[in-house]
């Protein structure tokens, strides 16, 4: 299975721990979407990422090839059970089209099932996303957008 990671799974160490047989295919863009944080992760104690349709915006990420065993591990990690009602899953897995090297490619990704009033991500979680973006050399403009995100446990910034 080809899988598009846009959040903390872009971090190589985290991805290898979750999916040891995964291989990187390349970086990709999901046009017409934005990065969101619609869910509370009880394990992380913060808001966690998803994507949502948004005209004129793009989400960058990494495409991995997963083994069947890794896909099953990732389903479990993302709180997805096939055939279960969507609202009972934390995320649902769906097929999307991303652009890699100017070519549209069909991949699987996970979309968060929104919760009411989710918290912001914490700095530790944002660091995983930012590290992954750097590791995979995502566009500088996108990395700047990630750096501008404010964490729930971050010191307030002074405006001068």
């Amino acid at each position: 299975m080809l899988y598009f990671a846009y959040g903390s799974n872009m971090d190589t160490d985290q991805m290898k721990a979750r999916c040891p047989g995964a291989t990187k295919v390349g970086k990709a863009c999901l046009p017409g979407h934005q990065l969101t944080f619609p869910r509370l992760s009880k394990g992380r104690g913060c808001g966690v990422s998803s994507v949502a349709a948004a005209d004129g915006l793009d989400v960058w990420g990494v495409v991995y090839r997963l083994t069947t065993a890794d896909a099953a591990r990732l389903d479990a990690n993302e709180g997805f059970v096939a055939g279960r009602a969507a609202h009972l899953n934390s995320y649902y897995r769906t097929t999307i089209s991303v652009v890699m090297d100017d070519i549209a490619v069909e991949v699987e990704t996970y979309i968060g099932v929104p919760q009411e009033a989710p918290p912001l991500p914490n700095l530790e979680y944002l660091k995983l996303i930012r590290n992954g973006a750097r590791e995979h050399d995502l566009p500088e403009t996108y990395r700047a957008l990630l750096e501008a995100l404010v964490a729930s446990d971050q010191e307030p910034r002074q405006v001068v």
Side-chain angles (χ1 to χ4, degrees):
M1 158 176 127
L2 292 178
Y3 160 62
F4 177 69
Y6 53 80
S8 63
N9 284 336
M10 290 192 300
D11 181 83
T12 301
D13 291 339
Q14 176 175 293
M15 193 60 186
K16 282 295 179 191
R18 291 181 174 182
C19 299
T23 56
K24 177 184 171 182
V25 176
K27 59 187 174 184
C29 176
L30 176 60
H33 286 77
Q34 68 181 355
L35 188 66
T36 62
F37 298 91
R39 295 193 57 77
L40 165 66
S41 167
K42 292 178 184 173
R44 293 185 188 273
C46 70
V48 288
S49 63
S50 187
V51 292
D55 289 339
L57 298 176
D58 298 321
V59 173
W60 282 86
V62 181
V63 174
Y64 294 99
R65 184 174 308 282
L66 302 183
T67 66
T68 303
D70 284 335
R73 280 192 213 63
L74 201 54
D75 281 350
N77 192 277
E78 300 297 339
F80 170 73
V81 176
R84 183 166 67 179
H87 72 280
L88 297 176
N89 285 320
S90 299
Y91 284 80
Y92 62 92
R93 183 163 36 110
T94 189
T95 303
I96 59 168
S97 181
V98 296
V99 178
M100 289 182 65
D101 299 321
D102 297 323
I103 299 169
V105 178
E106 296 291 309
V107 298
E108 298 287 306
T109 200
Y110 295 88
I111 307 292
V113 177
Q115 295 175 315
E116 192 170 320
L120 291 171
N122 63 28
L123 195 52
E124 179 181 341
Y125 184 73
L126 285 178
K127 283 181 180 178
L128 291 170
I129 297 172
R130 292 168 179 161
N131 288 344
R134 274 190 304 277
E135 286 178 280
H136 300 290
D137 196 31
L138 298 188
E140 186 62 41
T141 53
Y142 191 70
R143 292 192 319 227
L145 180 143
L146 295 176
E147 289 296 331
L149 294 173
V150 176
S152 60
D153 54 350
Q154 185 173 338
E155 291 294 321
R157 297 180 185 179
Q158 277 192 323
V159 178
V160 180

